[in-house]
Amino acid sequence: MRLFRKTAFAAALLLTSLTASAQKKTTKASAKAQPTATAATANSLLWEVSGKGLSAPSYVFGTIHMICPADMQVSEAVKQAVGNSKQVVLEMDMDDPTMAQQAQAGMLMSGGQTLQTLMSPADYAAFGTYLQAKAGLPIDKVGSIKPFFLGSMLMPALMGCQPASYEAAFMKMAQEQKKEVLGLETMQDQLGVFDKIPYAAQSKMLTDMVTQEAAMKQEMQQMVGLYKTQQVEALREMSSKSLFGFTEYNGLLLDDRNQRWIAGIEKMAAGQPTFFAVGAAHLGGPKGVLALLRQQGYQVKAVQ
């Protein structure tokens, strides 16, 4: 049970990391071809939202859910945006003390399925060896856990560090400034998204981790490079074409969630100035959060 609690807690913290898988840069030509379709016309992770009757601006910041501490930077502009806001809103309410328990309750595959039933004997054996070496998890003890959770547990090994979290940093800032931390969706909402992705597709990602580890590490390095240079549109492209992501489910992972978030963002921003922090892949593109806010009549501009 201790192993399951450990896995559930880590998965709860890392659940949203999948949509930050790496990919190629968008070209300047493609950016010029659709100047009105994409929301992000500047390289920036921090955006001010104003107009449409808001008494004071709110802010939207694009996070990367896991990053090595040496690469993590919280700029003065971001600190000021948090300071100017009355509350901090993340994808999930990371301040919820029951979040790990909620993750644990939904971490097992349904229908009695296991990795052993989903993988070939060779792939199962290879992944078992890999999982034990990289995360210290015996496959016979965790084989009934949804593959996505196990993939999340392996990300620190692929990154070569114990990752830092922007969400944790913003939670700490909010607590120090005595500001409420809220979420745009619940743990059940996110678990529901991944329940719609077949377990077979999720288990293939685990096999790819073993057989194409070097390529995955390279993509992750590209992703961090794009993030550090604040290329929001490239990050969106990255998430939609990654060799190791669930590209056929981008609607579930990105677009549908963006659309659902807008009503909550509008309501919270209308109530009081709010600092919103969501995965950077959610910001760009014609169906991204920035474009949707502009469609609702808000002024959205980059904060450099």
Side-chain angles (χ1 to χ4, degrees), residues 87-105:
Q87 60 186 359
V88 172
V89 177
L90 309 174
E91 290 186 19
M92 292 188 298
D93 182 357
M94 305 290 285
D95 205 24
D96 184 350
T98 69
M99 189 175 63
Q101 289 85 346
Q102 293 177 50
Q104 181 177 337

Side-chain angles (χ1 to χ4, degrees), residues 3-4 17 23 49 64-65 78 86 94 100 103 114 124 127 164 173 180 185 187 226 228 238:
L3 177 62
F4 273 74
S17 67
Q23 189 43 249
V49 180
I64 184 169
H65 296 300
V78 171
K86 300 297 184 183
M94 305 290 285
T114 67
Y124 180 77
F127 181 71
M173 293 169 66
E180 188 171 11
E185 58 190 8
M187 173 62 73
L226 292 175
K228 290 172 69 175
M238 164 195 75

Side-chain angles (χ1 to χ4, degrees), residues 131-210:
L131 184 66
Q132 180 67 57
K134 300 294 184 179
L137 297 175
I139 195 169
D140 60 325
K141 300 294 185 182
V142 298
S144 59
I145 293 177
K146 293 173 184 176
F148 171 76
F149 284 94
L150 295 179
S152 295
M153 293 295 295
L154 286 166
M155 296 307 287
L158 289 173
M159 296 172 67
C161 67
Q162 187 59 42
S165 165
Y166 278 94
E167 286 79 7
F170 293 141
M171 282 178 55
K172 181 179 179 181
M173 293 169 66
Q175 291 166 353
E176 290 173 347
Q177 298 175 27
K178 305 205 181 317
K179 294 176 179 177
E180 188 171 11
V181 176
L182 300 171
L184 290 170
E185 58 190 8
T186 65
M187 173 62 73
Q188 287 78 10
D189 292 332
Q190 288 209 352
L191 289 173
V193 170
F194 291 100
D195 282 337
K196 295 177 182 177
I197 300 176
Y199 298 145
Q202 295 185 35
S203 66
K204 183 181 182 305
M205 179 190 68
L206 300 182
T207 300
D208 289 343
M209 283 185 172
V210 178

